[in-house]
Amino acid sequence: QVQLVESGGGLVQAGDSLRLSCVVSGRTFGSYIMGWFRQAPGKEREIVAAITPTGSTTYVVDSVKDRFTISRENAKNTVYLQMNSLKPEDTAVYYCSKKASGFSLRSTSGYTSWGQGTRVTVSS
């Protein structure tokens, strides 16, 4: 059973930066597309960013693409989400997940095995 553990969330002020990390157990991390999602209070979970197994291609949703960056270190079984210029509307629980490489990078289909999430709260 693959386990995903997110960390790096916290309470910050608008304009601050955070880097979220997600460590994945097992030996097959380098074969997965990895994605970051978020769920704000009262809203559905939405995809934020995704990255191919080698890290050569990334996808970041338009609403945050000028502020957020996804990256990965396969040697450390870790995917990151760098979040800059945070806004109150970025407040949410952030989750990472994985899917097989055959799926579309932009699609939310195929994701399995979710972490417990890390909470990000941005005050104005």
Side-chain angles (χ1 to χ4, degrees), residues 33-34 49-60 70-72 105-106:
I33 288 173
M34 295 300 301
I51 188 167
T52 53
T54 63
S56 61
T57 305
T58 63
Y59 164 67
V60 182
I70 186 171
S71 62
R72 66 192 294 164
L105 193 62
R106 292 172 175 260

Side-chain angles (χ1 to χ4, degrees), residues 45-118:
R45 186 163 53 193
E46 62 176 354
I47 190 167
V48 176
I51 188 167
T52 53
T54 63
S56 61
T57 305
T58 63
Y59 164 67
V60 182
V61 297
D62 288 344
S63 59
V64 302
K65 68 185 303 181
D66 58 340
R67 300 184 294 118
F68 290 12
T69 303
I70 186 171
S71 62
R72 66 192 294 164
E73 285 190 77
N74 286 352
K76 295 183 178 181
N77 279 23
T78 302
V79 61
Y80 305 99
L81 185 68
Q82 178 67 43
M83 306 187 296
N84 299 327
S85 302
L86 283 161
K87 303 177 180 180
E89 51 263 43
D90 296 319
T91 294
V93 178
Y94 285 73
Y95 301 89
C96 66
S97 185
K98 66 172 184 65
K99 65 180 179 181
S101 59
F103 287 92
S104 166
L105 193 62
R106 292 172 175 260
S107 171
T108 58
S109 298
Y111 281 99
T112 62
S113 299
W114 298 83
Q116 82 290 345
T118 186

